[in-house]
């Protein structure tokens, strides 16, 4: 992991990644709510090669993001349908749409599995309200962790997505070519200017010389 930010994030979550846990509240509870063990996908062992076949990069992460999307739709039937990850030959327009959506992912799930208290056990209204407050705080924290986890996975995948890597390389090559062309044009103009200036100075010099000997 050469990226310092990715290295730092990995180190902070290393144990969860290695054991394949969810990193959210109670592992068992959130596994059923999240619908997929996301930690397992933060590893090159999650896929074999960068093809579209079963077990390949695109098949594996297509299934992963589809599972997240399905869990969101189960939580909210009116939730926006998320763009699919796509195949290796997907258009750049599709790829850009996918990452734009998932990089700003915000879960619709309640994360009720993070609840600390069973409010049905409250002896009175005051205690129930206190329980609800703690549960809401726990749910908010679980949602934040889930959002961060999904966005971290998106960043992890994007950095390794050959489609993005190739597109970025093409853009860099195009920028380098444009810069080189601009520099060549500048040099040509400078050379033309210098040539004209030398011709003008030579002409003036010849003129002055002829006047001196007139």
């Amino acid at each position: 992991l050469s990226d310092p930010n990715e290295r730092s994030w990995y180190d902070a979550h290393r144990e969860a990644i290695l054991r394949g846990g969810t990193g959210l509240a109670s592992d068992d509870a959130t596994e059923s709510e999240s619908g997929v063990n996301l930690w397992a996908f933060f590893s090159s062992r999650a896929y074999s090669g960068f093809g579209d076949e079963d077990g390949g990069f695109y098949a594996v992460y297509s299934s992963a993001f589809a599972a997240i999307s399905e869990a969101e739709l189960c939580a909210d039937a009116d939730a926006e349908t998320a763009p699919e990850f796509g195949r290796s030959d997907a258009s750049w327009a599709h790829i850009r749409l996918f990452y734009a959506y998932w990089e700003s992912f915000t879960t619709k799930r309640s994360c009720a599995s993070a609840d600390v208290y069973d409010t049905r056990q409250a002896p009175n209204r005051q205690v129930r309200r206190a329980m609800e407050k703690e549960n809401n705080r726990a749910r908010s924290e679980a949602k934040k962790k889930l959002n961060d986890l999904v966005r971290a996975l998106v960043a992890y995948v994007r950095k390794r997505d050959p489609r993005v890597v190739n597109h970025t390389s093409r853009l860099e090559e195009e920028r380098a070519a444009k810069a080189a062309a601009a520099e060549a044009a500048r040099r040509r103009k400078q050379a033309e200017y210098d040539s004209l200036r030398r011709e003008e100075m030579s002409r003036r010099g010849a003129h002055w010389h002829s006047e001196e000997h007139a």
Side-chain angles (χ1 to χ4, degrees):
L1 301 177
S2 58
D3 187 300
N5 293 327
E6 185 174 333
R7 176 79 261 177
S8 176
W9 190 91
Y10 178 89
D11 289 343
H13 300 85
R14 184 172 183 274
E15 291 186 8
I17 293 173
L18 292 179
R19 72 169 183 267
T22 61
L24 296 175
S26 165
D27 276 352
D28 293 337
T30 50
E31 281 299 330
S32 60
E33 185 168 1
S34 65
V36 60
N37 174 10
L38 298 183
W39 291 110
F41 295 99
F42 286 90
S43 170
S44 59
R45 294 189 299 271
Y47 57 91
S48 177
F50 289 90
D52 296 306
E53 68 280 355
D54 289 346
F57 183 84
Y58 295 102
V60 167
Y61 287 105
S62 287
S63 297
F65 286 107
I68 300 172
S69 181
E70 182 179 355
E72 292 297 314
L73 289 172
C74 287
D76 182 0
D78 296 325
E80 179 183 0
T81 301
E84 296 180 353
F85 185 54
R87 295 169 55 86
S88 61
D89 57 357
S91 68
W92 179 247
H94 176 89
I95 298 167
R96 183 173 55 187
L97 178 65
F98 170 84
Y99 283 109
Y101 175 89
W102 286 98
E103 285 173 342
S104 58
F105 172 82
T106 301
T107 186
K108 298 294 184 181
R109 284 169 262 182
S110 67
C111 290
S113 57
D115 283 357
V116 180
Y117 300 104
D118 182 353
T119 57
R120 295 171 299 181
Q121 304 300 319
N124 55 56
R125 182 179 300 176
Q126 183 177 2
V127 172
R128 184 173 66 252
R129 287 178 177 173
M131 287 180 170
E132 290 173 346
K133 184 176 181 179
E134 289 301 314
N135 285 347
N136 288 336
R137 181 182 294 112
R139 290 189 187 193
S140 294
E141 181 63 22
K143 287 182 179 182
K144 182 180 183 303
K145 288 183 178 180
L146 179 55
N147 290 337
D148 289 345
L149 180 59
V150 172
R151 293 173 187 176
L153 179 62
V154 174
Y156 178 90
V157 172
R158 178 172 185 140
K159 185 176 180 180
R160 291 157 180 80
D161 190 341
R163 302 171 305 183
V164 176
V165 174
N166 293 336
H167 180 76
T168 302
S169 295
R170 285 195 297 272
L171 290 180
E172 291 177 350
E173 290 174 358
E174 290 174 1
R175 282 195 291 266
K178 289 180 180 179
E183 176 62 16
R186 186 193 68 78
R187 289 176 180 272
R188 283 195 302 270
K189 291 185 67 174
Q190 184 64 46
E192 292 172 0
Y193 173 80
D194 292 342
S195 178
L196 291 173
R197 185 174 177 80
R198 285 194 297 270
E199 291 177 3
E200 176 64 16
M201 292 180 67
S202 177
R203 185 184 64 78
R204 291 182 179 180
H207 178 72
W208 294 334
H209 180 74
S210 62
E211 286 185 344
E212 288 178 355
H213 292 81

